[in-house]
Amino acid sequence: MSIAATVLDRIQRVTQLPKVSLHEPTFGGNELKYVTECIETGWVSSVGEYVNRFERELAAYTGAAHAVVVSNGTSGLQVMLELVGVRRDDEVLVPALSFVATANAVRHCGAWPHFVDSDIRSLGMDVSKLDAYLREVGEIRVDGCYNRRTGRRIAAVVPMHTFGHPVDMPALMSLAERHRLEVVEDAAESLGSWIGDRHTGTFGRCAMLSFNGNKIVTTGGGGAIITNDAVLAKRAKHLTTTAKQPHAWAFFHDEVAYNFRMPNLNAAMGCAQLERIGSFLEAKRLLALRYAEAFRDVPEVSLFLERTGTKVNYWLQTLLLAPEVASQRDEILAVTNAAGQMTRPVWELLYTLPMYGACERMTTPVADDLARRIINVPSSPQLIAGVV
Amino acid sequence: MSIAATVLDRIQRVTQLPKVSLHEPTFGGNELKYVTECIETGWVSSVGEYVNRFERELAAYTGAAHAVVVSNGTSGLQVMLELVGVRRDDEVLVPALSFVATANAVRHCGAWPHFVDSDIRSLGMDVSKLDAYLREVGEIRVDGCYNRRTGRRIAAVVPMHTFGHPVDMPALMSLAERHRLEVVEDAAESLGSWIGDRHTGTFGRCAMLSFNGNKIVTTGGGGAIITNDAVLAKRAKHLTTTAKQPHAWAFFHDEVAYNFRMPNLNAAMGCAQLERIGSFLEAKRLLALRYAEAFRDVPEVSLFLERTGTKVNYWLQTLLLAPEVASQRDEILAVTNAAGQMTRPVWELLYTLPMYGACERMTTPVADDLARRIINVPSSPQLIAGVV
């Protein structure tokens, strides 16, 4: 049997469905009830009790002191970068292997992404390699770290927790202190992922969550900023809601700001989804075990599992092909998708995209290698009957 | 009776309610049905049939060839300005009297708002005054109109149809041709407003609609770009949806782009609302007549009515105080709001806000005068029983 046929067979054994998506939301809880309440009361827009409640409950769930919901993760990341002081023509360290939004948010601030290699143990930034690189390339000046090669300030670093697997945040935080970098976490994929007893996104100055339709908890479209910094949270709320000063009637806005609000209608759905995250996580963990079991006798393919000391949300289940079969990745993708089992490669490396080809980067052999070997397989929690 | 007491009395005669908002949505049609369908089928996010349908129906309603729905009006305006060629440090002509988003979208492109006076007949830009001003200040060069005073290019003009009252677009279009300006209409407030048989927003190169919770048709939060330019429409869709190239599985994005998508959940609500726009407009027109009638014997206060040749959506009903009672505006606002009849002044003049104080502007005596004399009064269509 070809490796593609074997992969298809093993996926089918797990999903037991003729046609299955990569990740579909499930709305078996209070979603319809809460959304109906919004429509019946007329509170569908940018002010409403579900907005406040979703913010409170996100803070409580992650252990962050504050949460500010926004229209989507990309916009949330842009605002956070501005708030931590990223300025036009600064550089921001981002993973070479990430969804394009991580780099786009940097450009939306007028700054430049600077790409970092991956750690094979986390799929995210390689912290010790970044440390060595900054010792060579970075120069500490009075207002931060500068890139000796470009003369630009390196203002911040954005670790992204790939498919829910956490970057080594304790190590990254101490690196950031040494090199005087702000840390903004891209936790779009890691709601429900922990390092020890700390939720991802609570290590850096602030973090972004995403509730896009394919995420572990969805609001249709949306995101949130979480932080322990009360001043930053207040500024984030102000900047994402047109910077209007409170007044009985006057429309006085005190700075250039955004309309990045999450409507109450979408927040209502988020509240209902968040109530169910425990069962989603349980199902996704069982699904990971089933894939691991199904591929146990296939030496060329392994399931990427959580490392010791972390608890992973298994947002997208991730196969890692052995190097000797990496050349068959596209055949595996073609065969599985043709058979109705939806699979996806990881993102194109960001520095290979036309708009980011000229950006600064370290050598990225691990990211380059992972980009050829990762395949995501069907990951919806409802694939596990009886849990969700 | 004081003028404030008189205004309160007349508003109460029209609303016949002890407590009433400025503008509330009403969801008596298919809103719950369509939203329920999204939740039951799982199609809540950025791809879905309601997104396509809402775009088709907005195009059909306005007579524009294309519509692209987006996360909100501000973001839509930013993208349109980029698409028509507004670049960093260009200037863009915007009304001094507008919601802050009009100027913010210009700044989000890195360009500078340049403020224009109002026309007392439309509440929007004074086209003939702008023409005279540009003859003095503007200089035509090979790549467009330049501001002699600043040396910057004046790339575009953004007329905004205040409370649904159309700017004189035929005159503005010929001005724009003379002075080589791109025209992007801010039609956030004018869905359902027409000049002759042409819908507002179909005169310029493109236009933005808004579906915020207080608008005539709401999606909770959201907006749309409408245009007759097929290339611009295609580019707008691409730029607002992360610029991903179509591919069976690869994540190849070909330019720096945005996630400004409208979720299918919100588009579903928009489809249901748009089905009912005819009755909303009918009710709002009757409401205007009732206010006009109620204030007929109050010489110091008149209702701002549509001018000949236009059909106005009466999004927000607008009182104009006579100059001799303008000084009592805040007392009128205080008395009416304290009595549960929600009223609002017009926006603060944009050049008086701290972030726009240093921007270029012509003298704005009419806008300055209007800013002191406008009061918006309760405007929900459901104030007219039996129509909505």
Side-chain angles (χ1 to χ4, degrees), chain B residues 296-335:
Chain B
R296 192 202 292 267
D297 67 343
V298 186
E300 302 91 342
V301 181
S302 58
L303 196 76
F304 193 83
L305 294 168
E306 71 188 6
R307 68 182 192 283
T308 309
T310 68
K311 188 159 185 191
V312 168
N313 66 4
Y314 287 106
W315 169 54
L316 287 189
Q317 309 285 348
T318 304
L319 301 182
L320 205 54
L321 306 181
E324 64 270 23
V325 296
S327 63
Q328 292 167 67
R329 185 198 73 169
D330 284 5
E331 191 195 338
I332 297 171
L333 290 166
V335 166

Side-chain angles (χ1 to χ4, degrees), chain B residues 127-154:
Chain B
V127 180
S128 61
K129 186 169 174 184
L130 177 58
D131 195 30
Y133 176 73
L134 286 173
R135 284 176 201 278
E136 185 194 318
V137 167
E139 178 188 318
I140 301 293
R141 296 189 200 161
V142 66
D143 62 339
C145 181
Y146 277 75
N147 181 337
R148 292 178 205 272
R149 296 196 298 225
T150 60
R152 294 192 195 117
R153 190 170 68 120
I154 303 176

Side-chain angles (χ1 to χ4, degrees), chain A residues 132-153:
Chain A
Y133 177 73
L134 286 174
R135 285 175 201 278
E136 186 194 316
V137 167
E139 178 188 318
I140 301 293
R141 296 188 198 161
V142 67
D143 63 339
C145 181
Y146 278 74
N147 181 337
R148 292 176 204 272
R149 296 195 299 226
T150 61
R152 293 191 195 118
R153 190 171 68 121

